[in-house]
Structures are given as structure tokens and as C-alpha cells.
Amino acid sequence: MTTSEIAVLGVGMHKWGKFPGKTFVDIGVEAARNALDDSGVEWDEIQFLSGANTVRNGYPGWVSASTFANALGFQGCQIASSYAACASGATALSIARSQILSGICDVALVIGADQVAKGMFAPVPGDRPNDVDWLRFRLMGLSNPAYFGMFARRRMALYGDTQDDFAAVKVKNSEHGSSNPNARYAKVFSIDDVNASPVVADPLRLLEICSTSDGGAALVVSSLDYAKKRGIKDPVKIAGISTVSPTYPNAIIDMPYFASDSWHSVGDQHHTFKNQIARHAYREAGITPSDLDFAEVYDLSSAYELDWYEHIGLCERGEARNLLHSGDTRIGGKVPINPSGGLGAFGEAIPAQAIAQVCELTWQLRGQAAGRQVENAQIGMSINYGMFGHGSSVIARI
Amino acid sequence: MSKNRIPAVDGMFTMDFENPQLIGGRSKRTGSYYFPKDLSGSDPAGGESGDREEVFLSTVGTIWSYTTASYPPALPYQLVEPFEPFVIGAVELEKENIVVCGQMMPGIEIGDINVGTKVKLALDVLYEDEETEHIVWKWDLLGEVRSDN
């Protein structure tokens, strides 16, 4: 397998937060216009629009590409709408890449945006006893934070992590996010602040669990030739995208399942999809974890960020807290993690978050991440995953 | 008059209150276990459908991890007012090499369990209406007398 690169010509976001007076369309269109402005490409020059869907905004959300195309003004370009839970943005980007690398189009726009009700995510309504996402709520009240709590307790038992270790992740990311104009939360929290917030899913507290946000993000991507023709020298390039599905078994229980797969066939109870997502991205980009200058990882909770250090190969299993306390994962350290502030500073906006991660990769690689810049960043990785088994990871380089 | 008792979902556990069992699947070809039988990840080595036979899973296991639901879960969870926070256990079944979640029985506090604590399967009321109790599996402590302190 050989992979060719595409160029990132422009990135744009709509600030994340709660915007009850706006629709997801308003939010997505603002992000798209920012990305177009950043790229210098006009909307009527876009040949392909890839939309990441939202399932919480009715029919327009399920056909997001035509919704966004209409909102920007129907100009006849080809479009595709896709949904892959939290991996939707990476899926939408991978479709745009395929269009570009196959020569079907030269330049594409990728958009994801969401507008959701306050509070924890709940399954879409209806009676569906054959849907594990419905069953986990119905049979045991297994909400998303409960998984984060179980992962955290597991770390404490196996590796000796403490609640203060987890709180330290929140503190770090709040510092990173404090100067990010697109982040929802600008406040810098202390360990005491974290420990003073109420427990949601033992051992995790309210400030350690990412909130549900409204937000949007967009990218203008093109072939390297197109970038050259536009006179763009040395653009940020997408070197790898991972949208893999799991290789059986997923021995570590994960949303939305309420049982793990049996590890009988592999004899390894740490055999997990999350390692596989990163592995494929590294393979496409032809790099190893030691090549990374920084990464944006899926910190649905403070403790979960530590899991990702291990899943993406920055350290051995159980060593993440040492990596954290060494300062390596803070801006100024060897491999800063979540320089944007991560989901801790943004909250989740499902179809937008994988795209927002690529915005941050781009700003960092261009040296435009004012107040949170990773010095001399050359290669960055983003990673998350969509529940039920959608991988999502992007490696970008300058 | 006692209420009618029905399972909160069909086909996942037996309604034997003395010795309840989870109903899972086992691949005839690979020997891997599945729970629920047809709603989990699939081993491509298991081949076509029909490979999974219905089996009862072990009724005793050890805590793999645990947490609390300190706030009311969203629908379709059926809230019982006033909401009482509960403990959730993920339980490792040794023979099956599988982890199965469930609420811990009422009265079990977070401090009563650790990773490695032995537990056994139990049945309890998940929610009820005027005529019917909807039953689900939960995990209970094994061989330990809980103190009420």
C-alpha cells in the first residue's frame, strides 16, 4: 500500500460553547467561511463538499453535505454526507482525500458542526432492544462517564495512578486551552478546584469529564499540484488517515457495549482497538511514535488522556503517569499532548471534533498557535474513535 | 398480591432467582464466548451465522473495574424517584475470558469492592409499574457479609 499526501489549504472553526440561538447549520457555515477565507479559495471553486453528519438535529443533520451546500448557496459541486459517531470528521476527510487522490476533484471542503441539548448524551429516542446503545442505558444506566470512571479505576488498581494524577491532566489542559480563542473554557484550574467539584463517575469529578458542546470546524484540502498552482509554498500535508475498524477481539470493554469481547482467541486481555487505530495511521505516514512532535488525543476524561499516551505508543502500558509528571506532555516538553486544550477545554461536538483536531494540527505546524505554540512542530497526530468501531486518526506534517 | 415479574429484556438471562444465569453464545469453531449472544463483536474465524450455540455463562467472577452513577442516567433508563446513586461493576469471568457489566446490588457501596473482589450473579428489580416488576441481572458480593455501617 502506498499513500500519497494531500494539502491543507485552509482551516476554520466556530468557537465552541453553548449557542442555543444558533443552529448547527449556522455554526458549520461560519466554520466553513473561516476555512475558505484562510485558504483563499472561493466557495464556487470548491469541487467536492464532505459533510460530517449530526444525528441530533433532525433530517438536515443526516444529509449534512447538502444542508451545508444549500446554506452556502447551491453551486452544483459533488457532495457526500457521512456519519461515524465521533469519527465522523475523519471519515469525511478520508472521503475528500479519496476524491482528490483519485483525480476526481482537485479541491474539497470538509465541514462538521453540532448543536445539542445540555447534559449527558443519551441514545436517540425509540424502543430498540436489539441496539446495545439503547440496552446499556435501559438495563443498567451505563452512561458515557461510567466507562471513563471504570477505565480510571482500572488504572488505579493496575498501575497505582491516583486521583491527583488525573486532576493534573485537567490542570495541564486547562493551561493549554486558556489562550485558545476557539475553546469553550478559558479558566485555568488547580488540583484543588478539580477535587472540589462533585464526583460524577467515581473516581472522576465533574471537571474531569468533558462536557457536551456546540461547535464547528472545517477544512479546505486539495491535491499538492493544486496547492502549487495557487502559489502556496510548503502547505501542511495530510500524511496519513486511519479509519480502520477493529481487529477482533476488543478485549477492553468500550462504549456502547456492556460486555467485552472474549480474549480467548488471542490470550491477551489488553488487546484493544485503540492501539490498532494509531498503528494504521503510523503505517500510512511511514513514521513511528518517536517522530511525533505533539498530538491531539481524545481526552473524554482526564484519566482517559493517560490511556491514549499508551495507545499511541508514547510509553509502555502503565507508564503514562510518569510521562505526565516528567513534563514531556506539556507545552515546552518533548511531546506536548492536547496543546489546544483538548476536549477538556472544548467539550464534545461529535461531528466536528476530529476536524477541529486537524485545525489544531495545522495551526501548530504553521506556527500560528499563538499562546500555545509547540516550538518547531514538524509532525503531529490526532486520534479519537467512533463508538461501535470507527477508527479516527490523522497524521499531518509540514 | 405480588406483582408479575418479567425480564427487562428477553433472552439474556434466566429468571431463576435462586441461581440466575446469563445466556451467552459460544463459537463451535473457535470456542470464544459472546455476550449478549448475538450483539457483541464478531470473530471472523467463527464463520457464518449458526456457529454460535447458546450457553450459560459462569455465575461467579471478579471485579475488573467499577464506578458510580452519581447522577441520574438518561432515558431509556427508567428512573425511580428519588434517584439513589448506584455502583456499577464490570466483572471478569475467568472461564470465558470476558467482562460483563451490571449494577451492583442495592446497599453495596463503592468502598465495599476493589478490582479483584469476588462477586456472583443476582436478579433484582430494575423498575416497576403498577402490575409488573421488570427484572435485570446485577452483581452481588460473594461469601462476604456486608456490614451496614
Side-chain angles (χ1 to χ4, degrees):
Chain A
M1 181 184 68
T2 57
T3 310
S4 302
E5 296 179 331
I6 60 169
V8 182
L9 300 189
V11 296
M13 290 179 68
H14 179 291
K15 186 180 168 66
W16 293 36
K18 278 288 155 197
F19 308 101
K22 290 189 176 184
T23 67
F24 84 97
V25 187
D26 300 330
I27 292 169
V29 164
E30 183 175 317
R33 293 209 185 282
N34 288 338
L36 288 164
D37 286 349
D38 185 49
S39 70
V41 176
E42 300 292 331
W43 159 237
D44 62 9
E45 297 177 283
I46 293 292
Q47 298 162 5
F48 180 75
L49 192 165
S50 198
N53 294 347
T54 162
V55 295
R56 290 183 169 79
N57 289 276
Y59 220 122
W62 305 331
V63 290
S64 64
S66 66
T67 300
F68 290 134
N70 190 18
L72 288 161
F74 273 141
Q75 46 84 313
C77 71
Q78 302 215 62
I79 59 173
S81 303
S82 50
Y83 188 71
C86 298
S88 299
T91 299
L93 175 60
S94 79
I95 295 169
R97 181 179 70 163
S98 301
Q99 294 277 319
I100 291 165
L101 292 180
S102 64
I104 292 173
C105 80
D106 302 308
V107 60
L109 177 61
V110 182
I111 311 174
D114 214 356
Q115 206 275 325
V116 296
K118 199 168 178 290
M120 286 189 214
F121 285 133
V124 286
D127 249 15
R128 293 187 313 282
N130 290 315
D131 169 1
V132 285
D133 191 45
W134 186 88
L135 284 165
R136 62 160 167 143
F137 279 90
R138 179 60 150 233
L139 297 180
M140 57 192 79
L142 196 56
S143 59
N144 295 3
Y147 292 84
F148 316 150
M150 290 193 288
F151 296 155
R153 272 280 163 209
R154 185 83 181 150
R155 290 198 70 84
M156 293 169 79
L158 260 57
Y159 314 132
D161 288 15
T162 66
Q163 284 174 279
D164 278 357
D165 293 333
F166 304 149
V169 173
K170 173 67 181 184
V171 171
K172 169 184 77 75
N173 287 346
S174 72
E175 289 168 358
H176 287 180
S178 63
S179 59
N180 190 333
N182 290 307
R184 177 173 179 181
Y185 304 106
K187 185 171 172 310
V188 175
F189 292 101
S190 67
I191 297 231
D192 287 345
D193 292 333
V194 175
N195 288 339
S197 67
V199 171
V200 172
D202 179 281
L204 299 175
R205 296 174 179 279
L206 187 62
L207 284 176
E208 298 179 281
I209 291 172
C210 93
S211 52
T212 57
S213 286
D214 306 336
L219 311 169
V220 176
V221 289
S222 77
S223 66
L224 298 183
D225 272 352
Y226 184 89
K228 196 187 284 177
K229 278 181 201 147
R230 305 271 314 194
I232 299 164
K233 283 189 189 135
D234 205 16
V236 169
K237 294 171 260 315
I238 302 292
I241 303 176
S242 174
T243 53
V244 290
S245 57
T247 300
Y248 183 87
N250 201 7
I252 298 179
I253 190 165
D254 217 334
M255 294 181 285
Y257 296 97
F258 47 91
S260 75
D261 293 341
S262 169
W263 56 89
H264 167 82
S265 58
V266 290
D268 172 13
Q269 68 165 310
H270 301 284
H271 193 265
T272 168
F273 177 38
K274 290 168 206 162
N275 295 344
Q276 297 157 14
I277 298 169
R279 206 175 299 143
H280 181 84
Y282 287 131
R283 197 181 306 143
E284 276 204 5
I287 66 163
T288 65
S290 62
D291 294 318
L292 292 182
D293 295 313
F294 69 103
E296 288 282 313
V297 308
Y298 194 41
D299 59 321
L300 289 168
S301 81
S302 55
Y304 206 177
E305 177 171 306
L306 300 180
D307 285 341
W308 283 107
Y309 294 0
E310 298 162 12
H311 294 314
I312 69 174
L314 296 181
C315 63
E316 295 295 314
R317 203 162 45 72
E319 297 293 325
R321 67 190 289 256
N322 297 334
L323 192 64
L324 172 75
H325 293 306
S326 74
D328 281 357
T329 61
R330 150 186 310 280
I331 292 172
K334 216 165 89 186
V335 54
I337 302 299
N338 286 327
S340 71
L343 295 178
F346 277 77
E348 271 194 287
I350 289 173
Q353 59 208 32
I355 301 170
Q357 287 180 319
V358 178
C359 291
E360 180 67 9
L361 297 186
T362 302
W363 282 316
Q364 289 289 347
L365 294 168
R366 288 174 175 174
Q368 295 175 338
R372 59 181 197 285
Q373 181 64 47
V374 176
E375 283 307 311
N376 196 31
Q378 305 284 309
I379 299 182
M381 169 190 251
S382 67
I383 192 160
N384 74 30
Y385 79 102
M387 69 175 193
F388 282 95
H390 275 281
S392 165
S393 178
V394 175
I395 291 175
R397 69 177 187 89
I398 189 81
Chain B
M1 202 179 83
S2 65
K3 292 185 179 181
N4 184 30
R5 285 172 161 176
I6 63 168
V9 62
D10 287 328
M12 281 191 207
F13 55 95
T14 63
M15 284 288 281
D16 175 355
F17 274 74
E18 294 307 309
N19 181 29
Q21 291 176 292
L22 293 174
I23 301 167
R26 195 178 77 96
S27 165
K28 294 177 210 163
R29 195 177 298 180
T30 69
S32 272
Y33 288 86
Y34 294 93
F35 184 76
K37 174 171 170 276
D38 296 311
L39 291 177
S40 60
S42 286
D43 188 348
E48 65 274 21
S49 62
D51 172 61
R52 286 183 205 181
E53 56 187 353
E54 197 171 281
V55 291
F56 295 125
L57 302 186
S58 301
T59 57
V60 170
T62 55
I63 294 286
W64 178 88
S65 195
Y66 57 100
T67 188
T68 55
S70 301
Y71 287 85
L75 284 170
Y77 188 70
Q78 304 293 297
L79 273 185
V80 178
E81 300 286 357
F83 172 72
E84 286 288 336
F86 54 89
V87 179
I88 295 166
V91 174
E92 180 175 339
L93 304 180
E94 190 181 8
K95 185 179 84 175
E96 292 85 355
N97 292 149
I98 207 170
V99 170
V100 179
C101 289
Q103 289 186 8
M104 301 302 296
M105 286 293 272
I108 297 177
E109 305 279 339
I110 191 91
D112 295 336
I113 55 176
N114 278 303
V115 170
T117 300
K118 283 195 159 61
V119 295
K120 65 179 178 188
L121 199 72
L123 294 184
D124 193 28
V125 178
L126 179 62
Y127 62 95
E128 56 192 297
D129 45 43
E130 276 182 24
E131 291 168 1
T132 308
E133 290 180 335
H134 298 259
I135 305 299
V136 76
W137 78 88
K138 294 186 181 180
W139 296 105
D140 200 1
L141 297 177
L142 176 72
E144 292 167 48
V145 180
R146 291 202 302 276
S147 88
D148 290 323
N149 301 329

